[in-house]
């Protein structure tokens, strides 16, 4: 489950840190950034809000499994349920961002929604396996591990895709004016 936290952090910060060659040079002080259109600022604020939610929720992890089999099953099911809930909210909120004020921004949403939906489905499958099992056997754990591995792989793919997708310039400018995008 710690890999989920790492994936959420990577997903939320993908593209934020890109190495640049050369020496730093002071920006001209006479240039000011024009105010972005209010609907673009609102869109960026919501987009960053989803990323912030994923990062804040990334702490959802499987606690130490209790020795009691019934308590262990409930603990695993509850942890998987929390991850499913987080991904449900993220997928829903990202879906609400389309259509974007500028259609080119819809690509960024699509790149995230598809893999997050697939990852959520894998977590749902793992939870269903746990909930449907009479007890947590090694076969049940193997099935869960397979679903979790596939979910993490899909989320890693999303991070890679996100690193090659960029928002239109007016959206990146709007990030400076959006409260959820400020660090």
């Amino acid at each position: 489950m710690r890999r989920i936290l790492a994936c959420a952090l990577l997903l939320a910060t993908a593209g934020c840190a890109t190495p640049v060659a050369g020496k730093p040079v002071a920006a001209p002080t006479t240039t000011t950034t024009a105010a972005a259109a209010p609907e673009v600022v609102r869109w960026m604020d919501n987009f960053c809000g989803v990323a912030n939610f994923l990062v804040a929720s990334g702490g959802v992890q499987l606690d130490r499994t209790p020795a009691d089999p019934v308590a262990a099953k409930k603990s695993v099911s509850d942890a998987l349920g929390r991850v499913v809930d987080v991904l449900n909210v993220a997928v829903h909120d990202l879906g609400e961002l389309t259509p974007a004020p500028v259609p080119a921004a819809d690509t960024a949403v699509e790149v995230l929604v598809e893999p997050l939906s697939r990852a959520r489905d894998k977590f749902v499958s793992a939870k269903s396996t746990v909930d449907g099992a009479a007890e947590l056997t090694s076969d049940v754990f193997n099935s869960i591990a397979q679903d979790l591995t596939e979910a993490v792989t899909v989320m890693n793919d999303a991070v890679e895709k996100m690193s090659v997708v960029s928002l239109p310039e007016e959206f990146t400018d709007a990030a400076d004016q959006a409260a959820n995008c400020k660090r």
Side-chain angles (χ1 to χ4, degrees), residues 45-93:
D45 193 52
N46 291 334
F47 186 79
C48 290
V50 174
N52 293 342
F53 173 74
L54 282 170
V55 170
S57 301
V60 174
Q61 58 182 315
L62 184 60
D63 297 325
R64 188 166 195 208
T65 308
D68 174 47
V70 173
K73 181 178 172 183
K74 181 177 179 347
S75 176
V76 171
S77 177
D78 289 350
L80 291 169
R82 286 189 299 273
V83 174
V84 169
D85 290 344
V86 165
L87 291 174
N88 277 336
V89 169
V91 167
H92 171 269
D93 289 357

Side-chain angles (χ1 to χ4, degrees), residues 10-52:
L10 286 172
L11 186 62
T13 60
C16 293
T18 305
V20 178
K23 294 182 180 181
V25 177
T29 56
T30 58
T31 309
T32 59
T33 303
E39 64 272 9
V40 174
V41 173
R42 198 169 22 260
W43 189 94
M44 269 313 293
D45 193 52
N46 291 334
F47 186 79
C48 290
V50 174
N52 293 342

Side-chain angles (χ1 to χ4, degrees), residues 39-40 43 95-109 167-168 171:
E39 64 272 9
V40 174
W43 189 94
E96 293 291 311
L97 292 175
T98 57
V102 175
D106 288 337
T107 303
V109 173
L167 290 169
F171 284 78

Side-chain angles (χ1 to χ4, degrees), residues 69-141:
V70 173
K73 181 178 172 183
K74 181 177 179 347
S75 176
V76 171
S77 177
D78 289 350
L80 291 169
R82 286 189 299 273
V83 174
V84 169
D85 290 344
V86 165
L87 291 174
N88 277 336
V89 169
V91 167
H92 171 269
D93 289 357
L94 284 168
E96 293 291 311
L97 292 175
T98 57
V102 175
D106 288 337
T107 303
V109 173
E110 291 167 10
V111 163
L112 291 172
V113 168
E114 189 271 330
L116 287 178
S117 296
R118 287 185 15 224
R120 177 202 50 212
D121 294 346
K122 289 298 177 182
F123 284 110
V124 167
S125 176
K127 183 174 178 358
S128 294
T129 299
V130 170
D131 293 346
E135 58 184 37
L136 296 179
T137 64
S138 60
D139 287 341
V140 170
F141 276 113

